[in-house]
Amino acid sequence: MMFKRLAAMAMTAVLGAALLTGCGSSTDSTSEAPAEGATTAAESATGAVATSTVPTVTEGKLIMATNAYFPPYEYYEGSEIVGIDAEIAEAIGEKLGLEVEIQDMEFDSIITAVSTGKADIGLAGMTVTPEREKNINFSDTYATGIQSVIVTEDSDIQSIDDLQGKKIGVQLSTTGDLYASDDFGEENVEKFNKGNDAVMALSQGKVDAVIIDNQPALSYVSSTQGLKILDTQYAEEEYAACISKDNTELLDAVNGALAELKADGTIQSILDKYIVTE
Ligand code: GLN
């Protein structure tokens, strides 16, 4: 049953990537010749730089909505929000001639903020899902995520199947929440506003496990005593930026910028800077 989840997710990811890139796979995008669709988008992005015609909520600005408690994709360093997504937004902004402004909000509010014109782009280690695609457009993907399971070091939970009937902590409205509620029953899933609140509950014995993206999981486990990550992965997914369905010009421009940033190695070097363990 759990194997089914992995297979289904991988399939959605592949299908999603194929649909999003039009042709070729998203992992090819570092090759020298961009896919046909990407070339067109890149050209329109270049045009946008010259003429500054990319429409945004506030002229000249790219307002990015995120939830800055998702290391290493976004987190606070003092009062500044830094991380992979912040740097990718900065690189996109540079390409498009837009100044990036980051707005921190609950993860749950990001899609609404973007779709109602309060922000231009959501960059939040956000997984592409068919459900979300009903409300928002996703850019081409720029990273892969994995849903991991964190347990206490002395836990009897050794596999995904052992989660049956246990209390599982998740971050509200994340894919970890959606899959766990689906697989193990809403009544067994405890939803927290922040990932670290879920991890805190685990170390206090209030939940038996936490399902969360692997990179924040690694960061939480290294900063919290007595926790470990299960070897078995729960699901594989693709991260992308979300942009309003009403702003396809911005979507094309962002995809163009992403294609260039993948081709010249910028995206990979940003990922490598923050992701130490693969
Ligand atoms: N990748 C997960 C999702 O999209 C979690 C993202 C997050 O918490 N920032 O649901």
Side-chain angles (χ1 to χ4, degrees):
M1 173 203 172
M2 292 314 132
F3 180 72
K4 233 166 87 194
R5 157 78 56 203
L6 274 172
M9 284 318 300
M11 188 117 117
T12 311
V14 169
L15 196 70
L19 286 172
L20 284 164
T21 52
C23 58
S25 89
S26 60
T27 45
D28 282 339
S29 40
T30 44
S31 70
E32 299 216 348
E36 207 185 301
T39 311
T40 318
E43 278 161 11
S44 82
T46 314
V49 177
T51 57
S52 286
T53 53
V54 184
T56 55
V57 174
T58 305
E59 209 187 314
K61 276 194 179 173
L62 184 69
I63 302 178
M64 160 181 160
T66 198
N67 174 249
Y69 297 89
F70 194 73
Y73 283 85
E74 38 268 332
Y75 57 99
Y76 278 95
E77 219 169 65
S79 59
E80 200 192 345
I81 297 171
V82 298
I84 294 169
D85 286 333
E87 290 207 23
I88 289 179
E90 205 53 56
I92 291 173
E94 233 164 80
K95 290 259 179 222
L96 305 185
L98 297 168
E99 189 199 330
V100 176
E101 179 187 309
I102 304 182
Q103 287 183 3
D104 186 17
M105 59 189 73
E106 300 295 349
F107 182 76
D108 202 21
S109 307
I110 296 171
I111 289 183
T112 311
V114 173
S115 65
T116 58
K118 294 194 178 70
D120 297 298
I121 189 167
L123 268 164
M126 190 180 282
T127 306
V128 179
T129 73
E131 199 54 42
R132 289 174 182 163
E133 282 176 316
K134 289 181 188 157
N135 301 311
I136 207 87
N137 278 336
F138 280 101
S139 71
D140 294 338
T141 64
Y142 62 86
T144 306
I146 289 164
Q147 291 297 313
S148 297
V149 182
I150 311 177
V151 294
T152 53
E153 263 163 10
D154 58 2
S155 174
D156 57 356
I157 299 169
Q158 285 171 11
S159 68
I160 306 294
D161 285 324
D162 292 341
L163 290 171
Q164 219 64 252
K166 302 281 187 185
K167 266 264 166 286
I168 303 166
V170 295
Q171 185 187 356
L172 181 70
S173 293
T174 59
T175 43
D177 176 10
L178 307 178
Y179 308 156
S181 302
D182 219 26
D183 286 344
F184 304 104
E186 202 80 48
E187 69 283 5
N188 294 313
V189 179
E190 193 99 26
K191 300 165 193 235
F192 298 86
N193 270 324
K194 296 192 178 80
N196 40 337
D197 291 343
V199 173
M200 195 107 71
L202 173 64
S203 56
Q204 291 168 350
K206 291 178 185 157
V207 296
D208 302 308
V210 167
I211 296 181
I212 199 158
D213 299 51
N214 62 328
Q215 286 301 325
L218 285 168
S219 152
Y220 292 136
V221 165
S222 72
S223 61
T224 318
Q225 289 272 307
L227 302 181
K228 64 175 183 189
I229 299 174
L230 288 192
D231 286 337
T232 328
Q233 300 168 349
Y234 182 43
E236 264 182 48
E237 8 179 72
E238 299 278 347
Y239 294 163
C242 69
I243 293 168
S244 166
K245 283 193 188 264
D246 298 330
N247 199 349
T248 50
E249 260 180 85
L250 178 60
L251 180 71
D252 290 345
V254 166
N255 279 338
L258 276 175
E260 291 176 11
L261 294 167
K262 284 178 187 173
D264 73 7
T266 306
I267 299 284
Q268 194 55 52
S269 71
I270 294 173
L271 291 169
D272 291 346
K273 176 175 163 190
Y274 288 92
I275 297 177
V276 191
T277 343
E278 287 280 46

